Amino acid sequence: MSAQNFDTFIFVPAYNVEKTLAGVLDKIPESVWERSRVLVINDGSKDGTAIVAKEYCEACAGQEHRAGQERRVEYFAFEKNSGYGAVVKKGISEAVASGAKYAVCLHGDGQYPADLLDKFLDHLENFQEPDGCENVRRLALLQGSRHAVSGGAKAGNMPLYKRLGGTFLTALENTVFKYKLTDRHSGFILYRTEFLKRVDLEKLSPSFDIDLELISIADAMAARVAAGTSVETAPRFALGELPIPTVYADEKSNLNVVNYGLRCLKQILRRLMRK
């Protein structure tokens, strides 16, 4: 892979996504490719995901696109299915080790809008929020919300049980967390690696609720700074969201909604006990 400069590391969770993976990568804006490295993480897929990913990497190798920049794509595979949490931990650890300023989780199943990454990166990079102490907060993470626009989730064919469950959990979570968000359960998240460096990945969930854990940790850091309990040199973090379209087709979900809901409730109780 070329040693050209980059400031963004995109990791792509990929499990049985042979039909959608290449299309997702093709939708990444050229301006984002120019500043990024991409790592496709195959979580023990049983279909042709590995073939598609390797062919995409080979096709990009040595090919220059706009501004003479080649698309930098790498591939990693877990031999056996290790779970979404393991994939996210791998992606985050590689992003931090790469020296990038920003890390992006872009699912390979096509549910999240790769074509909006330029807009999201611009917002993550330039957002500033006064903290009341002559300083500013920067975003620790920026999440795509499927519920920021009323009726958007329904129009995008999100199943009713997911709409109701997500709305219920988000309402509960907004009672205990500092930042009030409209959708805490979207997997489309961009991170500032300055925040990720302060997270102990080993303690995080091996399952889908790892995203909520990271949001909870960022929210807790922001709350501590707001309460004046952090040292003066501590970074001033905030959380943000932007609307994204909801896309549900005939794909099979790998999420056990009951286990996921219970894990989320456990996080809510943990936060209540710490208040």
Side-chain angles (χ1 to χ4, degrees), residues 130-275:
D131 71 350
C133 301
E134 299 183 355
N135 294 303
V136 295
R137 299 180 190 273
R138 293 192 176 276
L139 291 177
L141 60 85
L142 176 63
Q143 186 175 37
S145 171
R146 299 158 298 179
H147 300 289
V149 177
S150 179
K154 181 179 180 180
N157 296 317
M158 180 185 286
L160 178 62
Y161 72 91
K162 286 193 174 183
R163 297 202 310 269
L164 294 177
T167 299
F168 172 72
L169 288 173
T170 297
L172 282 181
E173 290 150 3
N174 280 340
T175 66
V176 299
F177 295 120
K178 170 181 170 58
Y179 280 87
K180 313 307 177 186
L181 304 176
T182 61
D183 183 2
R184 292 181 183 270
H185 303 280
S186 159
F188 188 60
I189 309 177
L190 290 74
Y191 302 93
R192 187 178 296 273
T193 55
E194 181 185 8
F195 157 67
L196 294 175
K197 290 175 184 178
R198 291 167 167 79
V199 176
D200 186 351
L201 295 179
E202 294 300 319
K203 294 183 178 180
L204 298 185
S205 171
S207 190
F208 285 95
D209 57 311
I210 188 173
D211 291 336
L212 182 59
E213 282 189 328
L214 288 161
I215 295 170
S216 301
I217 292 169
D219 188 90
M221 288 185 182
R224 286 198 296 270
V225 171
T229 57
S230 294
V231 297
E232 285 299 315
T233 57
R236 266 58 177 172
F237 287 136
L239 281 69
E241 64 178 7
L242 291 176
I244 59 172
T246 302
V247 179
Y248 273 83
D250 57 355
E251 66 275 353
K252 180 181 178 181
S253 175
N254 299 300
L255 174 67
N256 184 311
V257 293
V258 175
N259 287 341
Y260 176 75
L262 291 174
R263 286 175 179 269
C264 292
L265 290 174
K266 184 177 179 180
Q267 289 192 45
I268 294 171
L269 290 174
R270 187 185 302 134
R271 184 61 180 271
L272 277 173
M273 292 175 65
R274 290 179 178 176
K275 279 196 166 186

Side-chain angles (χ1 to χ4, degrees), residues 15-36:
Y15 180 65
N16 293 342
V17 293
E18 64 175 350
K19 296 179 180 179
T20 56
L21 178 59
V24 169
L25 296 174
D26 281 341
K27 288 180 181 178
I28 297 175
E30 205 64 44
S31 61
V32 176
W33 277 111
E34 291 171 6
R35 62 188 293 183
S36 302

Side-chain angles (χ1 to χ4, degrees), residues 29 32 115-124 142 190 242-243:
V32 176
D115 56 312
L116 294 182
L117 280 177
D118 50 355
K119 176 182 178 181
F120 271 69
L121 279 168
D122 181 69
H123 189 77
L124 176 64
L142 176 63
L190 290 74
L242 291 176

